[in-house]
Amino acid sequence: LEVGGFLGIGEDKRVVPWGLIEIVRDEKDEDDLHARTSLTEAQVESAPQCKPGQVFDGDLDRRIEKAFGKDDMWAYAGEGTPTFAWLSHMRDAKVQGPGDKELGRVQDVVLAPQNGCVAYVVLDTNEEAGDKDVAVPWTRMRFVIDRNEQISAATDLDSARLQSAPEFDRREWKRMSSTAWMTELSTYYACDPFWKTSRFASARKAKSVGTPVGKPAPN
């Protein structure tokens, strides 16, 4: 979250657990999104600071826990040391398939806010892989951060599989964000939809939310 400053100058950035943010659609314009939180200004100001592009390691967990306490909603449940990446840095990441063949680039990452997880990745495939935009379920992708802090992606899907994959069309966002679309993707890629695999599969219980804290652009 950006806090303080004036007209974009002198703002601080703070890290806030996703579980304390609720994304809601505008009542008058369904393409306009708002983020709401029950956190007070003092709580946000006590959150861990960050800089644009800063790389986080496992220490972030400790800093979040110190500011907000322990909660299963944001506690790390994986093995080893967690790694973190800025969503904006994942765009244009190179995607490689079997045999290290390049298949295209990441165009966007689509979230499922109410489920607290990632739904799918939009790939801009190269000519060999169909030369089109396709949506690939998050579980069929693996992201890696190298020593130079560059992000790349890999998948076991080959170019032939992507050539005949369902095409993603941003102009049809209503369908691209529907349960039917996710079911179609899951069937094609032979995997479970995110609501069956995510640790946060059930929708979060609405917390006491109040002041809007921003208007992120819709995917």
Side-chain angles (χ1 to χ4, degrees):
L1 302 181
E2 292 182 343
V3 297
F6 180 70
L7 297 179
I9 301 176
E11 294 176 331
D12 282 333
K13 288 182 170 55
R14 307 284 174 157
V15 178
V16 174
W18 181 258
L20 296 177
I21 299 293
E22 182 183 21
I23 306 297
V24 295
R25 293 192 180 279
D26 188 271
E27 294 181 358
K28 297 180 179 179
D29 184 357
E30 63 176 14
D31 290 331
D32 193 8
L33 303 178
H34 303 274
R36 297 180 180 275
T37 182
S38 59
L39 294 173
T40 64
E41 184 177 354
Q43 287 176 308
V44 173
E45 290 181 348
S46 68
Q49 290 183 314
C50 68
K51 297 178 181 179
Q54 180 178 347
V55 176
F56 293 111
D57 54 23
D59 181 60
L60 180 61
D61 269 356
R62 181 186 62 78
R63 294 164 61 196
I64 289 177
E65 189 174 289
K66 182 178 180 181
F68 299 101
K70 293 185 178 181
D71 194 303
D72 289 339
M73 181 62 73
W74 54 78
Y76 179 61
E79 298 179 356
T81 302
T83 56
F84 302 86
W86 293 69
L87 197 63
S88 57
H89 291 183
M90 300 175 80
R91 291 178 177 148
D92 203 39
K94 181 173 64 176
V95 180
Q96 293 180 315
D100 293 334
K101 285 188 176 181
E102 186 170 342
L103 301 173
R105 299 270 177 168
V106 173
Q107 187 179 77
D108 224 330
V109 179
V110 178
L111 307 179
Q114 291 184 321
N115 296 81
C117 62
V118 180
Y120 58 87
V121 178
V122 179
L123 302 186
D124 179 9
T125 60
N126 57 24
E127 187 173 354
E128 184 179 353
D131 193 21
K132 62 181 181 179
D133 292 341
V134 298
V136 177
W138 180 254
T139 54
R140 299 304 300 268
M141 301 288 297
R142 301 186 308 278
F143 285 87
V144 178
I145 304 176
D146 64 21
R147 293 180 180 179
N148 297 319
E149 300 174 2
Q150 297 297 309
I151 300 176
S152 60
T155 180
D156 58 356
L157 302 169
D158 56 24
S159 56
R161 189 69 168 162
L162 294 177
Q163 282 180 1
S164 55
E167 188 167 0
F168 175 85
D169 188 344
R170 186 181 297 271
R171 295 169 299 182
E172 297 185 23
W173 174 243
K174 188 172 184 179
R175 185 170 76 87
M176 302 289 103
S177 60
S178 68
T179 301
W181 169 250
M182 281 305 308
T183 301
E184 180 182 348
L185 292 180
S186 302
T187 299
Y188 181 81
Y189 291 108
C191 62
D192 288 330
F194 67 82
W195 55 82
K196 289 187 178 180
T197 60
S198 172
R199 174 171 163 232
F200 306 122
S202 58
R204 291 179 289 120
K205 292 183 178 180
K207 297 179 180 291
S208 175
V209 295
T211 307
V213 295
K215 293 185 179 181
N219 286 312

